[in-house]
Amino acid sequence: MERKPVVDATDRRILELLIEDPRASNRALARAVGMSPSAVGERLDRLQKRGVIRGFSADVDHAALGYALEVVVAIQLRQGKPVRETVEQLRAIREVRAVQLVTGRWDLLLTFMVRDQLHLREILLGDVWSVADFQHSESMIILQTWRSPTPLRAIEEDDEAELDG
Protein backbone atom coordinates (compact mmCIF):
# COMPACT_ATOMS: atom_id res chain seq x y z
CA MET A 1 0.00 0.00 0.00
CA GLU A 2 1.50 3.32 -1.08
CA ARG A 3 1.38 6.19 1.40
CA LYS A 4 0.23 9.51 -0.03
CA PRO A 5 2.29 12.54 0.92
CA VAL A 6 0.76 14.64 3.69
CA VAL A 7 2.77 17.78 3.03
CA ASP A 8 2.43 20.82 0.83
CA ALA A 9 5.17 22.99 -0.71
CA THR A 10 5.53 25.08 2.47
CA ASP A 11 5.88 21.97 4.63
CA ARG A 12 8.52 20.62 2.24
CA ARG A 13 10.46 23.89 2.46
CA ILE A 14 10.31 23.80 6.27
CA LEU A 15 11.54 20.18 6.20
CA GLU A 16 14.39 21.10 3.85
CA LEU A 17 15.45 23.89 6.20
CA LEU A 18 15.32 21.53 9.19
CA ILE A 19 17.41 18.94 7.36
CA GLU A 20 20.01 21.64 6.69
CA ASP A 21 19.86 22.93 10.29
CA PRO A 22 17.88 20.85 12.82
CA ARG A 23 18.47 23.58 15.43
CA ALA A 24 16.77 26.31 13.39
CA SER A 25 14.32 28.28 15.49
CA ASN A 26 10.66 28.74 14.59
CA ARG A 27 11.46 32.42 14.04
CA ALA A 28 14.23 31.60 11.51
CA LEU A 29 12.02 29.07 9.75
CA ALA A 30 9.16 31.57 9.66
CA ARG A 31 11.37 34.25 8.05
CA ALA A 32 12.55 31.77 5.42
CA VAL A 33 9.03 30.69 4.41
CA GLY A 34 7.24 34.03 4.92
CA MET A 35 4.98 32.96 7.78
CA SER A 36 4.56 33.81 11.45
CA PRO A 37 6.52 31.77 14.01
CA SER A 38 3.26 30.48 15.52
CA ALA A 39 2.04 29.24 12.11
CA VAL A 40 5.35 27.44 11.58
CA GLY A 41 5.06 25.96 15.08
CA GLU A 42 1.59 24.63 14.24
CA ARG A 43 2.92 23.07 11.03
CA LEU A 44 5.81 21.45 12.92
CA ASP A 45 3.40 20.04 15.52
CA ARG A 46 1.20 18.63 12.74
CA LEU A 47 4.19 17.09 10.95
CA GLN A 48 5.31 15.44 14.19
CA LYS A 49 1.81 14.13 15.00
CA ARG A 50 1.50 12.65 11.50
CA GLY A 51 4.88 10.96 11.83
CA VAL A 52 6.57 12.95 9.05
CA ILE A 53 9.08 14.32 11.57
CA ARG A 54 10.14 11.41 13.75
CA GLY A 55 12.65 13.31 15.84
CA PHE A 56 15.69 15.54 15.87
CA SER A 57 19.26 14.33 16.17
CA ALA A 58 22.84 15.50 16.30
CA ASP A 59 25.35 14.58 13.59
CA VAL A 60 28.21 13.27 15.75
CA ASP A 61 31.76 12.77 14.47
CA HIS A 62 32.43 9.28 15.80
CA ALA A 63 36.11 9.51 14.85
CA ALA A 64 36.45 12.41 17.31
CA LEU A 65 35.19 9.99 19.98
CA GLY A 66 37.75 7.33 19.06
CA TYR A 67 35.60 5.27 16.68
CA ALA A 68 37.43 5.88 13.41
CA LEU A 69 36.05 3.01 11.31
CA GLU A 70 32.51 2.69 10.06
CA VAL A 71 31.77 -0.85 8.89
CA VAL A 72 28.96 -2.49 6.95
CA VAL A 73 28.55 -6.23 7.34
CA ALA A 74 26.24 -8.08 4.94
CA ILE A 75 24.85 -11.14 6.72
CA GLN A 76 23.28 -14.30 5.36
CA LEU A 77 21.20 -16.28 7.84
CA ARG A 78 20.19 -19.94 8.02
CA GLN A 79 16.47 -20.56 8.02
CA GLY A 80 15.36 -21.10 11.58
CA LYS A 81 14.21 -18.77 14.27
CA PRO A 82 12.29 -15.60 13.39
CA VAL A 83 14.44 -12.81 11.91
CA ARG A 84 13.12 -10.41 14.58
CA GLU A 85 15.00 -12.36 17.29
CA THR A 86 18.26 -12.18 15.33
CA VAL A 87 17.76 -8.46 14.68
CA GLU A 88 17.22 -7.80 18.39
CA GLN A 89 20.34 -9.79 19.24
CA LEU A 90 22.38 -7.72 16.76
CA ARG A 91 20.85 -4.42 17.91
CA ALA A 92 22.00 -5.23 21.44
CA ILE A 93 25.64 -4.90 20.33
CA ARG A 94 26.80 -1.54 21.70
CA GLU A 95 28.63 -0.45 18.55
CA VAL A 96 25.71 -1.13 16.18
CA ARG A 97 24.13 1.92 14.55
CA ALA A 98 21.65 0.16 12.25
CA VAL A 99 20.34 -3.25 11.24
CA GLN A 100 18.50 -3.38 7.93
CA LEU A 101 16.44 -6.22 6.46
CA VAL A 102 17.22 -6.34 2.74
CA THR A 103 16.37 -8.24 -0.43
CA GLY A 104 18.82 -10.15 -2.60
CA ARG A 105 21.74 -12.39 -1.66
CA TRP A 106 22.02 -11.03 1.87
CA ASP A 107 19.38 -11.04 4.58
CA LEU A 108 20.65 -8.23 6.81
CA LEU A 109 22.97 -5.24 6.57
CA LEU A 110 24.62 -4.29 9.85
CA THR A 111 26.29 -0.89 10.23
CA PHE A 112 28.52 -0.19 13.20
CA MET A 113 31.42 1.91 14.44
CA VAL A 114 34.71 0.49 15.75
CA ARG A 115 37.96 1.96 17.03
CA ASP A 116 40.28 0.00 14.73
CA GLN A 117 40.80 -3.36 12.98
CA LEU A 118 41.39 -5.21 16.26
CA HIS A 119 38.08 -3.89 17.59
CA LEU A 120 36.41 -4.96 14.31
CA ARG A 121 37.81 -8.47 14.78
CA GLU A 122 36.51 -8.59 18.36
CA ILE A 123 33.00 -7.55 17.31
CA LEU A 124 32.87 -10.00 14.40
CA LEU A 125 34.22 -13.00 16.34
CA GLY A 126 32.55 -12.29 19.66
CA ASP A 127 29.19 -10.88 18.65
CA VAL A 128 28.22 -11.04 14.98
CA TRP A 129 29.45 -14.51 14.06
CA SER A 130 28.00 -15.97 17.27
CA VAL A 131 24.40 -15.14 16.31
CA ALA A 132 22.56 -18.47 16.36
CA ASP A 133 21.37 -18.46 12.75
CA PHE A 134 24.51 -16.84 11.30
CA GLN A 135 25.63 -18.53 8.08
CA HIS A 136 27.94 -16.18 6.17
CA SER A 137 29.00 -12.54 6.05
CA GLU A 138 30.98 -10.02 4.09
CA SER A 139 32.53 -7.01 5.81
CA MET A 140 33.14 -3.67 4.16
CA ILE A 141 34.95 -0.71 5.72
CA ILE A 142 33.41 2.59 4.62
CA LEU A 143 36.13 4.85 3.29
CA GLN A 144 34.00 7.92 2.64
CA THR A 145 30.32 8.89 2.60
CA TRP A 146 28.57 11.46 0.43
CA ARG A 147 25.07 12.40 1.48
CA SER A 148 22.46 14.07 -0.67
CA PRO A 149 21.32 17.37 0.84
CA THR A 150 17.66 16.39 0.92
CA PRO A 151 15.48 13.64 -0.52
CA LEU A 152 12.53 16.03 -0.63
CA ARG A 153 13.31 17.16 -4.17
CA ALA A 154 12.20 13.75 -5.46
CA ILE A 155 8.85 14.12 -3.67
CA GLU A 156 8.33 17.55 -5.19
CA GLU A 157 9.20 16.23 -8.67
CA ASP A 158 6.78 13.30 -8.20
CA ASP A 159 3.99 15.69 -7.15
CA GLU A 160 4.61 17.90 -10.19
CA ALA A 161 4.57 14.84 -12.48
CA GLU A 162 1.19 13.77 -11.05
CA LEU A 163 -0.23 17.24 -11.73
CA ASP A 164 1.12 17.20 -15.30
CA GLY A 165 -0.08 13.64 -16.04
Side-chain angles (χ1 to χ4, degrees):
M1 185 172 112
E2 186 178 334
R3 290 173 51 176
K4 289 286 184 189
V6 293
V7 299
D8 61 15
T10 303
D11 288 337
R12 274 195 298 275
R13 182 64 186 136
I14 290 170
L15 291 169
E16 287 172 351
L17 293 164
L18 283 174
I19 289 169
E20 290 172 20
D21 180 8
R23 295 182 64 179
S25 68
N26 282 6
R27 186 180 308 263
L29 295 170
R31 272 194 305 270
V33 297
M35 297 179 76
S36 71
S38 62
V40 167
E42 288 173 14
R43 282 178 176 263
L44 290 172
D45 288 343
R46 188 183 76 242
L47 290 168
Q48 285 179 296
K49 286 178 184 164
R50 289 185 176 170
V52 175
I53 296 176
R54 294 183 296 199
F56 299 89
S57 63
D59 184 10
V60 176
D61 181 358
H62 290 90
L65 301 174
Y67 288 78
L69 294 179
E70 184 173 12
V71 179
V72 173
V73 177
I75 299 174
Q76 194 173 53
L77 301 173
R78 281 187 213 90
Q79 297 300 312
K81 67 181 181 182
V83 173
R84 176 174 286 146
E85 291 177 30
T86 302
V87 167
E88 291 309 315
Q89 193 176 353
L90 291 167
R91 288 183 66 212
I93 301 169
R94 188 182 73 192
E95 292 81 357
V96 168
R97 296 186 64 207
V99 179
Q100 297 171 310
L101 179 65
V102 296
T103 62
R105 174 180 175 201
W106 304 105
D107 298 309
L108 300 172
L109 290 181
L110 178 64
T111 305
F112 57 94
M113 304 298 299
V114 293
R115 292 183 298 276
D116 52 31
Q117 288 175 310
L118 180 59
H119 191 198
L120 172 59
R121 181 178 174 269
E122 290 171 6
I123 298 296
L124 290 174
L125 292 174
D127 296 311
V128 176
W129 293 352
S130 66
V131 170
D133 290 330
F134 174 85
Q135 183 173 334
H136 180 71
S137 71
E138 181 176 336
S139 301
M140 297 157 270
I141 294 174
I142 296 175
L143 300 175
Q144 188 169 357
T145 300
W146 293 270
R147 298 196 191 281
S148 295
T150 175
L152 297 175
R153 290 185 192 137
I155 294 169
E156 190 172 320
E157 291 168 4
D158 286 346
D159 290 349
E160 289 171 5
E162 277 185 24
L163 293 175
D164 293 339

